[in-house]
Amino acid sequence: MTAQLIDGNALSRQLRESVAQRVATLKTQGITPGLAVVLVGDNPASQVYVRNKVKACHDTGMHSVLEQYGATMTEADLLARVDALNNDPTIHGILVQLPLPAHIDAHKVIEAISPAKDVDGFHVASAGALMVGQPGFWPCTPYGCMKMLESIGYNLRGKHAVVIGRSNIVGKPMALMLLQQNATVTVCHSATPDLKAMTLQADVIVAAVGKRNVLTADMVKPGAVVIDVGMNRNDEGKLCGDVDFAGVKEVASHITPVPGGVGPMTITMLMVNTLESAERGLAAQA
Ligand code: NAP
């Protein structure tokens, strides 16, 4: 069997069109959704990410502010910038690009962002809201994975989902989202003794590890859906995921490619969260 591709670029285009329409509607009510992106230091990968986020804002008609600071910026100065953005009515979402330089406590900075503007969904309040099923902002990467499953009409009820990876930004929130959709969820990590025994039971596998070929064809039940969050480089320096794509696509029913899978969805869900923040603000005024 050759799996059907879940095309993150195509789905992103579709979702961004609908975001652009909702942005246009909000503008008629005098609100332009605004995202502030704060970058500290000169990490080249971060510079690409922030540029893509700002471009996505422009493409969907949103307002964006890119604040770039040198690597020597103090934690106090960064906290002061976050505070100013919290109080800026033209800004509905604040994103502080990670990683931050080592002298800055990233947790402290994220906790300083108002939960009402935490469009990355990394604040403890956002994590807590997801945990108890209350409205909040879902972290963009696992949220994008859920949209990909939705796009193929996949009903998670009663299905066994195996998440590989337990980070706060991908693995753990992913597991909670799958649970909320009535899947039975297993979370694997570096201390899982027999990963293959787990993944072979899975109807859905989400790989979020950051290591090439963590998931190979012999580890996948025929017909399973495979979502590859990983971003790695192969021997030729090309972007690749955690999944042995060539092998696994012959066993899975659906698979996401890297590149062109989860990556574009992450930025798209950031747009969705920023738009929703602006819409919530308007609803709160009514
Ligand atoms: P992370 O914080 O490094 O977490 C990696 C997880 O993988 C950890 O929970 C770790 O277990 C687990 N792990 C490591 N080796 C393993 C193994 N051999 N078997 C099973 N589990 C293992 O990474 P992350 O931030 O979640 O990101 C994961 C990957 O997704 C990275 O490649 C990252 O670049 C990519 N990513 C992509 C996007 C996107 O937009 N496409 C967004 C975010 C992240 P322990 O907890 O036991 O250490």
Side-chain angles (χ1 to χ4, degrees), residues 141 164-167 169-170 189-190 195 208-211 229-232 262-263 266:
T141 299
I164 319 175
R166 58 171 166 182
S167 70
I169 63 170
V170 189
H189 44 78
S190 66
L195 184 61
V209 174
K211 286 182 187 157
V229 179
M231 284 200 307
N232 313 294
V262 175
T266 295

Side-chain angles (χ1 to χ4, degrees), residues 1-7 148-149 151-156 159-160 199 202-205 215-217 219-228 243-257:
M1 183 201 310
T2 298
Q4 212 174 304
L5 212 62
I6 311 178
D7 182 341
M148 293 179 111
L149 290 170
S151 77
I152 58 165
Y154 196 82
N155 183 0
L156 283 157
K159 295 294 196 304
H160 186 185
T199 57
D203 302 302
V204 176
I205 303 171
L215 191 75
T216 47
M219 300 167 75
V220 177
K221 182 169 81 173
V225 176
V226 175
I227 310 266
D228 191 352
V243 174
D244 169 26
F245 184 83
V248 172
K249 78 172 173 30
E250 299 304 322
V251 185
S253 67
H254 295 79
I255 189 167
T256 66

